[in-house]
Amino acid sequence: MLNSITDVREILATQQYIASDEICTAMFLADKLGKPLLAEGPAGVGKTELAKSWALANGRELIRLQCYEGLDETKALYEWEYAKQLLYTQLLREKLSDLLGDSRTLREAADRLANEEDVFFSERFLLPRPLLRAITSDEPVVLLIDEIDRADAEFEAFLLEVLSDFQVSVPELGTLKAKHQPTVLLTSNNTRELSEALKRRCLYIHIDYPDLEAELRVIQLKVPGLSPKLARQAIEYVQKLRKMDLKKHPSVSETIDWARALLELNSRQIDKSTLDTTLSVLLKYESDIQRAKRALQGGERGDRPERGDRPDRPRNRYPGGEWNN
């Protein structure tokens, strides 16, 4: 049982998730009010990791629905196992022959077969997808609807029944209500505007890139072998990259990857050679890599000294130290 926001912070900390006051408050209210939580923000800032950590911390199964363009009910809710139905039909051929053998007309045979439809359209032949699994689970679960902004607007409309009443309608079986209301987290990278109807049914939080000190705590927790000086130097560099005009800014997960790479390379400081050879861990577009390199050399800055004012030695544009040129 969660009695305070402090409890939320503590249980998330058991999974090495550093949560801000805003995140802790949002999760506390989502739990107490029984409402879905919509987390928006740049990719790689910990939205999906929040759902994973919450599930592990509470000992619940995580059921994940990864959204994409063209996602429909059959992939999100349920499908009928037609191959299994056909196999059972072949195995029960003799029974069907006995059932229909003395039928005098085609209509009579069809009516008799219709009376047995419940056998073939039952939960025995139902293949539950993530939404139905979450609703029919015998134990409380965490339902993650990941990157909802990638799905179509029609799919959003379909979700409204699930998020409002935690129930789904299956024509052959009727309405299935949740045995235990799941904890629902929706994530969005804000690539398109979501509908007001969807947002109205959710609590909302925006998760942005962490500041320097917060990201430093993440690195110290996730990569404990990295020296404090090198960790701070790395974060300063990442924070600087995020201020540049790039196609894709480094995410927190990529910062962690870079810190691990520096540890594996036995780096003692981030010098020019290290940066030039490891930029691809942080940046995933060649144009971004080249732009970052030019910016570090002053090529895209307006603060370059005039020719007559330039010092004899090249100025170090890299954060956290100098090297010999």
Side-chain angles (χ1 to χ4, degrees):
M1 295 293 294
L2 298 175
N3 298 315
S4 67
I5 295 173
T6 302
D7 292 342
V8 175
R9 181 178 289 105
E10 290 176 352
I11 65 170
L12 287 174
T14 63
Q15 303 303 316
Q16 296 188 330
Y17 189 94
I18 300 176
S20 64
D21 292 340
E22 292 81 4
I23 291 175
C24 293
T25 302
M27 290 303 304
F28 178 78
L29 292 176
D31 181 77
K32 291 300 182 182
L33 301 179
K35 293 180 69 69
L37 175 63
L38 170 62
E40 278 192 332
V45 294
K47 303 184 298 295
T48 300
E49 193 65 27
L50 175 60
K52 293 179 179 179
S53 299
W54 188 258
L56 289 171
N58 289 279
R60 297 185 180 184
E61 178 187 2
L62 175 69
I63 298 178
R64 180 174 181 174
L65 173 62
Q66 180 64 50
C67 297
Y68 54 87
E69 186 177 354
L71 178 65
D72 58 17
E73 295 182 29
T74 59
K75 298 300 182 183
L77 188 56
Y78 72 93
E79 288 183 286
W80 290 108
E81 294 188 273
Y82 295 112
K84 188 176 180 180
Q85 289 172 327
L86 180 60
L87 176 62
Y88 270 61
T89 301
Q90 294 173 343
L91 293 175
L92 299 176
R93 185 176 300 171
E94 293 184 2
K95 292 294 183 179
L96 290 174
S97 298
D98 294 341
L99 176 66
L100 306 176
D102 59 346
S103 300
R104 290 171 294 180
T105 65
L106 182 60
R107 180 182 296 276
E108 183 179 350
D111 289 341
R112 289 187 180 182
L113 188 60
N115 292 332
E116 304 299 327
E117 283 184 353
D118 290 344
V119 175
F120 291 96
F121 288 95
S122 63
E123 293 187 16
R124 183 194 306 270
F125 299 99
L126 193 67
L127 182 61
R129 296 301 185 184
L131 293 181
L132 188 59
R133 284 180 55 208
I135 287 178
T136 58
S137 175
D138 293 328
E139 300 292 336
V141 300
V142 174
L143 173 62
L144 169 61
I145 303 177
D146 211 9
E147 297 184 321
I148 181 61
D149 53 322
R150 293 185 179 273
D152 302 322
E154 292 77 7
F155 183 74
E156 278 189 49
F158 160 71
L159 276 180
L160 298 182
E161 180 186 13
V162 178
L163 299 181
S164 295
D165 305 317
F166 293 97
Q167 65 181 30
V168 295
S169 299
V170 180
E172 296 84 355
L173 300 177
T175 300
L176 302 179
K177 296 185 177 182
K179 299 178 181 178
H180 301 277
Q181 182 170 317
T183 300
V184 183
L185 281 86
L186 301 91
T187 72
S188 169
N189 295 335
N190 208 18
T191 58
R192 70 172 178 85
E193 187 68 26
L194 301 177
S195 68
E196 292 184 5
L198 180 67
K199 288 189 173 183
R200 190 167 56 248
R201 287 162 172 78
C202 303
L203 298 179
Y204 176 83
I205 185 173
H206 183 271
I207 302 178
D208 208 342
Y209 295 116
D211 60 25
L212 190 148
E213 294 301 327
E215 193 162 15
L216 182 59
R217 291 198 300 272
V218 172
I219 294 301
Q220 291 171 337
L221 187 64
K222 297 291 186 179
V223 193
L226 198 66
S227 70
K229 180 180 178 181
L230 186 57
R232 179 172 289 274
Q233 188 181 6
I235 299 305
E236 288 175 352
Y237 177 67
V238 171
Q239 295 275 327
K240 194 173 184 180
L241 282 177
R242 292 192 184 128
K243 296 177 181 178
M244 296 181 185
D245 183 17
L246 304 176
K247 286 186 177 180
K248 180 185 179 303
H249 293 112
S251 66
V252 177
S253 59
E254 287 162 336
T255 304
I256 295 172
D257 289 340
W258 192 43
R260 289 171 176 165
L262 295 174
L263 185 62
E264 291 296 327
L265 292 171
N266 296 317
S267 300
R268 296 184 179 180
Q269 64 176 350
I270 302 176
D271 55 19
K272 183 178 184 300
S273 175
T274 301
L275 282 169
D276 288 345
T277 55
T278 61
L279 271 176
S280 58
V281 179
L282 289 169
L283 305 177
K284 304 304 170 65
Y285 290 92
E286 180 62 21
S287 59
D288 285 350
I289 294 174
Q290 296 303 323
R291 175 169 293 182
K293 287 180 178 180
R294 290 195 301 269
L296 291 171
Q297 295 169 2
E300 293 184 355
R301 291 193 173 189
D303 60 350
R304 286 191 298 172
E306 297 296 330
R307 181 178 299 274
D309 298 329
R310 291 179 182 174
D312 294 335
R313 296 186 59 193
R315 294 175 61 192
N316 172 24
R317 297 281 182 174
Y318 293 85
E322 296 187 0
W323 60 86
N324 295 324
N325 289 281

